[in-house]
Amino acid sequence: MKRKVISTGSDWNFEFIQRYDQEIARVAEHYHLDTYPTQIEIISAEQMMDAYSSVGMPVGYHHWSYGKQFAAVEQRYKRGHMGLAYEIVINSDPCIAYLMEENTMMMQALVLAHAAYGHNSFFKGNYMFRTWTSADAIIDYLIFAKNYITKCEERHGVEQVEQLLDSCHSLMNYGVDRYKRPSTLSVEQERQRQEEREVYLQSQVNDLWRTVPTRDAAEQDPQEERFPSEPQENLLYFIEKNAPLLEPWQREIIRIVRKIAQYFYPQRQTQVMNEGWATFWHYTILNHMYDEGLLTDGFMLEFMQSHTNVIAQLPYNHPHYSGINPYALGFAMMSDIRRICEHPTDEDRHWFPDIAGGDWVSVLDFAMRNFKDESFIAQYLSPKLIRDFRFFAVLDDDARDKLEISAIHDEQGYRAIRQVLADQYNLGSREPNIQVYNVDRRGDRSLILRHSQYNRRPLNDDADEVLKHLGRLWGFNVRLETVNDDGRVESTHEWTQEN
Amino acid sequence: MTQIIDRRLSGKNKSAVNRQRFIRRYKSQIKKAVTEVISGRSITDIDRGEKINIPAKDIQEPAIGHGPGGRREGVTPGNREFITGDQFDRPPDGAGGQDSQASDQGEGEDEFSFNLSREEFLEVFFEDLALPDLIKTQLAKITEHKIIRAGHTPTGVPTNIDVVRSLRGSLARRITLGAPYRTQLAEVEASLEALRASPAPDKDEIVALEEEIVRLKKRIDAIPFIDTFDLRYRNHIKQAMPSTQAVMFCLMDVSGSMNEHRKDIAKRFFILLYLFLTRHYERIQLVFIRHHTVAMEVDENDFFYARETGGTVVSSALEMMYSIIKQRYPTSDWNIYAAQASDGDNWNNDSLLCKDLLLDKIMPCLQYYAYVEIEAEQGQNLWQEYEHVNEIFSNFVMQRIHDLPDIYPVFRQLFQKQSI
């Protein structure tokens, strides 16, 4: 069946975009990609820079750090140090994808396939996103947040709000629930609940701090019950609910920052998978269309060139080496799964007996839905890929004088490398584990955090600064204790109000 | 299912507020950077944006992470020579190939750099500076008027008649005045109709009614089509407008003692004053007067780059400036500023003349007079005489400049914001 070529030149127009979109949608359907409806927005380079600096939020509240981001992006772009990303895609329903007007027709088609069908279906299907984000409510929530913060700025002054946001941002990574699933709410409910919260929260807090020098308390076991009774991983949540001196509006802003942190939480854990998935699908879809005769040879050559750039992986000793390229690793793994299904070798049958020779579309779909970077690598990284990437693991132990190569791409090293690489993408080990341990309710009301050390790794120099921010939110002294690998506890960082 | 939206025309400066906040927050660092830039820049370049570097450490947002130390293991691609068990020394700077989330910003590690636009650059540059008397000039010395439209009046000159308004009034008047007659007319016509329809019409009555109809129609026609009462004239009033034009006189000594270096300092001084004026006035005219023993009005290029030699008679330039003011820049229309640069040399008897010229004639016309003496030894006679002027007029300012890096602080001191 010979079809007609869609476009020949490199200039795009709206009709072409629509034609490409129809064809791509048809092919995506053929491969059973399940997507949100798409909203494609054509924007200029300046607008792309705006979108960039608001970390991909289509509506953002005002904060100087976004201005700094913008200044940096603008500087690098104008000096030609960096090209802008060709697209930005928002995890929302409908899924918003930005296309830059400077793109050629080929790029627009590539971006459509990549963002509007690849990322889109990932957002809709992956369990992390399904669990932690509600795509249909996020835009409304961001608008609510922006308006609320603007209102606070009018009422309490820009400086006040800015200080609060600074403090919240420094703790943003500790504003997420890692294990507890938040219940979903509609915007309307959200607003109602916010008003109720303002009233009741304050009274609850007052309750908590009611001075109780009664006989009962005095007779209590000196081994006082801890508060919270279980350690709390979500610092911002704990502050929002329990910090004694905050005003209701301050609690609400903390909540906003924490909600946004939670929204981005899945994206931080599915970089390799998300990009790999999208790259794999733009590659597969466009090749499929080429085979059908919809695309010209020139289009394909241009496409292959930019695709190859995207998935390039430099070796560690290259002057421009900047870590493992998530596009390269993700794309290679997705393609490799397809290969294992379609053309398994004996090695694959040994390593992946359950998927070797299976139906690649459903195997990939399953992988996309049920994993995050860490588990995806631990599950699917094949010996062949380890050889292709020539991966090797280096052990840096400060108890030893020298670095050691602990594993390379050979029979003995495959499992070790897979394990170490997976751990490298594990947020739990990448970020220090810090939890609220106790509040000295009867003493100076100081907040006690515990850092459970991972492989004896200490905190970085920012810890003191962050503790200062935490102290500002908490309103009283803050202490951070470190629990060593052998269970010893020592107090390592402290912030007191006097300094 | 897919919706395509063209957003290119909707606002693009979404980040403007954030950017402003960033600049406000780091004003002190940015100011410091701007100051450094100014002293290093070439003259013709002053009026544009600039790449600003501020220490990245100052503007970093803190976040807790793992510090160096402990036991860490990482996977790296591209193995060529290693086999399991190889040992080697730590690379310097802790830049271990493994697990370093190396940023792609390259050299931008300890410096955060970004571009200030021309406006932002100058804004920072001129911040908290204001010309003395400026507000007084703009508010008190209102001399220029602008004619603006201000509704309509019933009197005026024929050229200002608003035809549409006038005819609208005429129509309203005709309707109102004619209304009673038209009601009567309708009644009479109705009864005439009734009479004619009756089986035995009274002939006399019909004639009477017909006469009445003619009479009423005449009355209606007699209402004038247009009356002086209807006329409306467009009204204009004069509104006072602060004068937003200024002229700046640049006076420079080009005698033999002014070497290239001194001239260069002078140039920068003029440019800074000029830039400062552009912030306050819509239109600025420049007059360049250079002098040795005689003064000459020249264009900018000649002023800065032509070479002259000879002795020095400063009063010649002052006289020329005064006559130009008289001829071309009436003080009622112009804010006049003057800046003079010299090495302080003057023919002795002339300095006294300069003082008198300034006191009696020139200073009363001026908003501001700035005099800088470049690389002068103490006690030049011109300086001494000018000190007398300085005592009398608070808007006469003088300053000594010694070297290039001095310019900016001197400039600031010259135009320090004065409390009003």
Side-chain angles (χ1 to χ4, degrees):
Chain A
M1 163 184 63
K2 194 73 186 163
R3 285 167 197 257
K4 210 165 155 277
V5 167
I6 299 176
S7 71
T8 48
S10 66
D11 292 339
W12 61 270
N13 62 36
F14 287 97
E15 272 162 59
F16 284 156
I17 288 188
Q18 206 147 15
R19 283 283 321 277
Y20 275 105
D21 181 64
Q22 280 162 6
E23 296 297 337
I24 292 170
R26 180 180 56 78
V27 178
E29 175 86 40
H30 170 79
Y31 289 112
H32 308 297
L33 288 187
D34 180 23
T35 56
Y36 293 122
T38 325
Q39 179 170 320
I40 297 164
E41 305 199 353
I42 313 284
I43 60 175
S44 62
E46 284 100 330
Q47 288 168 319
M48 187 56 112
M49 287 193 278
D50 283 335
Y52 241 79
S53 41
S54 53
V55 279
M57 290 186 291
V59 190
Y61 53 82
H62 295 311
H63 189 254
W64 65 268
S65 61
Y66 303 136
K68 166 185 147 188
Q69 191 97 1
F70 181 79
V73 168
E74 190 187 31
Q75 169 75 12
R76 275 187 289 155
Y77 177 62
K78 288 201 170 152
R79 305 231 149 188
H81 289 180
M82 159 188 117
L84 289 173
Y86 304 114
E87 43 81 23
I88 283 185
V89 58
I90 312 278
N91 167 25
S92 61
D93 179 10
C95 177
I96 301 173
Y98 295 122
L99 306 192
M100 256 209 310
E101 68 171 335
E102 279 85 348
N103 291 350
T104 61
M105 188 64 248
M106 185 287 299
M107 280 311 303
Q108 304 290 32
L110 189 159
V111 167
L112 269 178
H114 182 91
Y117 293 89
H119 283 306
N120 187 347
S121 60
F122 193 85
F123 290 146
K124 192 169 181 189
N126 182 265
Y127 86 104
M128 291 291 290
F129 288 89
R130 295 175 73 95
T131 315
W132 297 113
T133 67
S134 36
D136 53 336
I138 183 63
I139 302 284
D140 286 338
Y141 188 77
L142 289 176
I143 291 171
F144 159 78
K146 182 181 177 175
N147 292 340
Y148 189 85
I149 289 180
T150 309
K151 228 169 67 191
C152 289
E153 282 173 350
E154 284 163 8
R155 203 178 296 164
H156 308 283
V158 175
E159 302 266 316
Q160 284 265 334
V161 175
E162 188 171 288
Q163 275 193 0
L164 180 67
L165 282 175
D166 285 351
S167 298
C168 294
H169 284 185
S170 73
L171 291 163
M172 207 157 177
N173 288 346
Y174 293 91
V176 289
D177 294 321
R178 283 152 215 265
Y179 310 109
K180 204 181 76 190
R181 166 87 173 94
S183 59
T184 42
L185 287 174
S186 77
V187 203
E188 198 46 45
Q189 285 168 304
E190 186 74 49
R191 190 167 44 238
Q192 279 169 6
R193 294 233 335 218
Q194 180 252 316
E195 276 156 20
E196 290 168 21
R197 268 199 310 276
E198 283 206 358
V199 181
Y200 287 114
L201 261 179
Q202 197 60 44
S203 61
Q204 269 182 355
V205 171
N206 296 343
D207 214 36
L208 173 66
W209 292 101
R210 184 188 295 152
T211 37
V212 277
T214 62
R215 193 177 303 270
D216 285 355
E219 281 171 1
Q220 248 181 10
D221 191 346
Q223 187 70 30
E224 197 192 346
E225 206 176 305
R226 279 193 294 121
F227 178 83
S229 52
E230 299 284 327
Q232 255 284 357
E233 48 153 359
N234 193 334
L235 303 194
L236 284 182
Y237 180 84
F238 184 82
I239 294 279
E240 181 201 331
K241 299 295 178 199
N242 300 306
L245 301 178
L246 293 180
E247 309 256 343
W249 66 269
Q250 292 173 314
R251 294 182 201 282
E252 190 61 34
I253 287 184
I254 293 175
R255 185 183 169 83
I256 286 170
V257 173
R258 152 176 105 66
K259 288 265 172 184
I260 290 172
Q262 191 79 61
Y263 169 74
F264 285 116
Y265 179 63
Q267 308 207 352
R268 294 198 291 137
Q269 298 191 74
T270 51
Q271 232 195 342
V272 170
M273 279 185 80
N274 203 343
E275 294 303 352
W277 177 260
T279 308
F280 174 80
W281 281 113
H282 79 229
Y283 179 79
T284 308
I285 290 174
L286 289 183
N287 269 304
H288 185 106
M289 287 167 66
Y290 178 64
D291 293 341
E292 290 180 336
L294 288 167
L295 309 176
T296 61
D297 294 344
F299 182 105
M300 257 350 237
L301 282 174
E302 194 190 342
F303 161 70
M304 288 315 293
Q305 200 226 346
S306 74
H307 175 75
T308 314
N309 281 340
V310 166
I311 60 162
Q313 174 64 62
L314 299 174
Y316 77 99
N317 50 3
H318 193 278
H320 292 148
Y321 172 72
S322 61
I324 295 172
N325 175 358
Y327 291 84
L329 181 60
F331 177 73
M333 286 187 67
M334 296 289 173
S335 309
D336 196 47
I337 292 175
R338 178 175 182 177
R339 181 194 60 81
I340 292 170
C341 292
E342 288 184 328
H343 314 288
T345 61
D346 288 342
E347 184 186 48
D348 296 325
R349 285 204 185 82
H350 173 68
W351 280 71
F352 304 102
D354 50 336
I355 64 167
D359 168 32
W360 68 270
V361 174
S362 55
V363 167
L364 267 182
D365 188 66
F366 177 84
M368 177 274 280
R369 285 180 190 279
N370 299 299
F371 293 86
K372 58 182 175 178
D373 281 352
E374 176 208 2
S375 52
F376 180 67
I377 290 169
Q379 181 73 24
Y380 291 111
L381 187 68
S382 73
K384 176 174 184 301
L385 273 194
I386 297 177
R387 287 194 299 272
D388 287 352
F389 275 89
R390 308 186 74 82
F391 279 135
F392 64 105
V394 183
L395 176 67
D396 178 0
D397 190 332
D398 62 356
R400 295 200 228 164
D401 293 342
K402 286 177 183 289
L403 301 183
E404 187 185 325
I405 305 292
S406 55
I408 66 161
H409 41 91
D410 59 12
E411 200 61 51
Q412 296 80 41
Y414 292 144
R415 281 182 198 283
I417 284 194
R418 193 155 86 167
Q419 192 49 47
V420 175
L421 189 62
D423 195 51
Q424 211 161 306
Y425 287 96
N426 181 3
L427 264 197
S429 52
R430 237 163 54 190
E431 289 176 354
N433 174 5
I434 296 174
Q435 308 203 355
V436 178
Y437 180 71
N438 196 4
V439 172
D440 187 358
R441 274 186 300 174
R442 308 214 289 160
D444 61 0
R445 296 176 174 178
S446 57
L447 178 71
I448 296 151
L449 304 175
R450 276 208 172 165
H451 165 220
S452 307
Q453 262 190 351
Y454 178 75
N455 283 341
R456 302 197 320 274
R457 289 161 82 169
L459 296 180
N460 62 5
D461 298 338
D462 279 356
D464 286 318
E465 190 64 24
V466 174
L467 228 55
K468 205 159 91 191
H469 283 296
L470 187 61
R472 193 194 280 168
L473 294 177
W474 179 244
F476 298 98
N477 298 349
V478 177
R479 213 164 69 225
L480 192 143
E481 300 174 341
T482 299
V483 186
N484 295 337
D485 281 357
D486 50 15
R488 268 184 306 117
V489 178
E490 55 182 314
S491 183
T492 47
H493 297 75
E494 191 163 3
W495 179 84
T496 50
Q497 282 175 297
E498 288 76 54
N499 50 12
Chain B
M1 284 297 258
T2 305
Q3 220 184 343
I4 302 176
I5 300 174
D6 187 356
R7 284 257 192 251
R8 283 171 295 179
L9 293 179
S10 49
K12 62 182 171 193
N13 281 327
K14 263 163 114 184
S15 301
V17 177
N18 293 329
R19 193 183 161 89
Q20 284 307 318
R21 292 207 176 163
F22 170 65
I23 289 176
R24 196 205 64 213
R25 186 178 169 112
Y26 294 104
K27 198 121 224 180
S28 59
Q29 282 97 327
I30 291 174
K31 259 185 178 168
K32 203 166 138 244
V34 166
T35 312
E36 276 165 19
V37 165
I38 299 277
S39 59
R41 239 190 207 185
S42 97
I43 299 162
T44 43
D45 268 358
I46 286 288
D47 205 13
R48 64 167 169 82
E50 179 58 50
K51 181 177 165 188
I52 294 291
N53 292 316
I54 45 187
K57 205 160 58 58
D58 289 1
I59 61 169
Q60 192 198 16
E61 293 168 273
I64 289 188
H66 284 300
R71 178 185 187 277
R72 54 184 70 207
E73 198 171 6
V75 169
T76 314
N79 181 23
R80 297 213 168 275
E81 67 272 32
F82 300 125
I83 56 165
T84 311
D86 277 1
Q87 300 207 346
F88 52 94
D89 292 330
R90 284 197 175 79
D93 298 323
Q98 78 289 352
D99 200 31
S100 66
Q101 297 285 334
S103 71
D104 50 0
Q105 281 146 325
E107 80 278 6
E109 283 292 304
D110 2 308
E111 293 256 287
F112 178 82
S113 60
F114 67 103
N115 258 349
L116 278 184
S117 72
R118 175 188 171 276
E119 278 72 25
E120 287 166 337
F121 179 82
L122 292 176
E123 199 70 60
V124 173
F125 180 57
F126 289 124
E127 221 232 347
D128 70 43
L129 291 177
L131 277 188
D133 287 339
L134 184 74
I135 293 174
K136 267 190 250 161
T137 315
Q138 287 194 336
L139 297 181
K141 213 181 151 195
I142 292 167
T143 47
E144 207 177 316
H145 290 271
K146 193 167 69 171
I147 307 272
I148 58 159
R149 295 277 300 270
H152 296 82
T153 56
T155 55
V157 291
T159 45
N160 282 341
I161 286 180
D162 186 326
V163 176
V164 175
R165 279 260 176 175
S166 303
L167 285 180
R168 197 188 296 160
S170 125
L171 182 63
R173 181 182 47 80
R174 277 181 282 131
I175 290 173
T176 326
L177 291 183
Y181 302 124
R182 266 189 295 272
T183 324
Q184 281 179 36
L185 184 64
E187 279 166 12
V188 174
E189 275 174 342
S191 45
L192 181 63
E193 203 70 18
L195 204 60
R196 280 187 175 142
S198 68
D202 181 337
K203 286 267 165 60
D204 294 344
E205 209 172 332
I206 289 180
V207 172
L209 285 175
E210 278 173 344
E211 275 172 3
E212 178 68 7
I213 288 174
V214 171
R215 191 185 66 84
L216 284 171
K217 281 189 172 164
K218 253 190 185 159
R219 291 300 289 269
I220 292 174
D221 286 345
I223 297 171
F225 179 76
I226 192 140
D227 200 319
T228 45
F229 175 79
D230 302 329
L231 295 181
R232 290 291 179 276
Y233 299 86
R234 287 188 294 268
N235 190 24
H236 295 101
I237 56 167
K238 270 184 173 180
Q239 199 181 52
M241 201 180 63
S243 164
T244 57
Q245 54 185 3
V247 57
M248 171 178 158
F249 283 89
C250 302
L251 279 64
M252 186 164 67
D253 181 358
V254 288
S255 62
S257 52
M258 282 292 279
N259 57 26
E260 274 311 304
H261 182 61
R262 288 174 174 181
K263 269 192 188 172
D264 185 48
I265 292 177
K267 279 175 223 166
R268 289 174 189 245
F269 168 71
F270 292 133
I271 282 166
L272 293 185
L273 178 60
Y274 173 72
L275 283 178
F276 183 57
L277 290 178
T278 58
R279 308 299 280 175
H280 292 276
Y281 296 100
E282 263 171 41
R283 286 194 310 128
I284 298 162
Q285 289 203 3
L286 285 171
V287 177
F288 297 98
I289 299 172
R290 58 173 197 181
H291 69 90
H292 35 97
T293 48
V294 286
M296 211 197 315
E297 186 184 352
V298 292
D299 66 14
E300 186 172 353
N301 197 44
D302 280 352
F303 183 75
F304 283 136
Y305 301 110
R307 297 188 62 94
E308 290 277 347
T309 48
T312 317
V313 179
V314 176
S315 63
S316 61
L318 293 178
E319 252 159 23
M320 177 163 236
M321 176 168 123
Y322 184 63
S323 69
I324 291 175
I325 291 175
K326 278 276 148 308
Q327 285 164 23
R328 305 208 303 249
Y329 301 105
T331 48
S332 55
D333 294 346
W334 293 86
N335 294 291
I336 303 171
Y337 293 81
Q340 184 190 359
S342 159
D343 59 358
D345 269 351
N346 196 13
W347 180 53
N348 265 5
N349 296 343
D350 185 57
S351 295
L352 208 61
L353 192 59
C354 291
K355 185 188 83 175
D356 292 340
L357 257 175
L358 279 171
L359 285 179
D360 300 340
K361 294 181 171 171
I362 296 179
M363 283 315 292
C365 307
L366 293 191
Q367 302 295 323
Y368 200 79
Y369 192 106
Y371 171 64
V372 292
E373 202 169 83
I374 302 162
E375 290 185 324
E377 300 90 55
Q378 297 289 319
Q380 297 279 12
N381 58 48
L382 190 61
W383 179 269
Q384 287 162 2
E385 295 300 334
Y386 272 11
E387 274 179 338
H388 296 300
V389 185
N390 189 20
E391 279 163 21
I392 297 169
F393 289 98
S394 65
N395 57 349
F396 182 96
V397 177
M398 48 203 290
Q399 188 74 36
R400 281 204 172 90
I401 294 177
H402 295 289
D403 205 358
L404 268 182
D406 290 343
I407 288 188
Y408 181 53
V410 163
F411 179 74
R412 286 187 62 111
Q413 202 186 332
L414 272 178
F415 300 104
Q416 206 96 67
K417 199 183 243 170
Q418 293 185 349
S419 51
I420 300 152

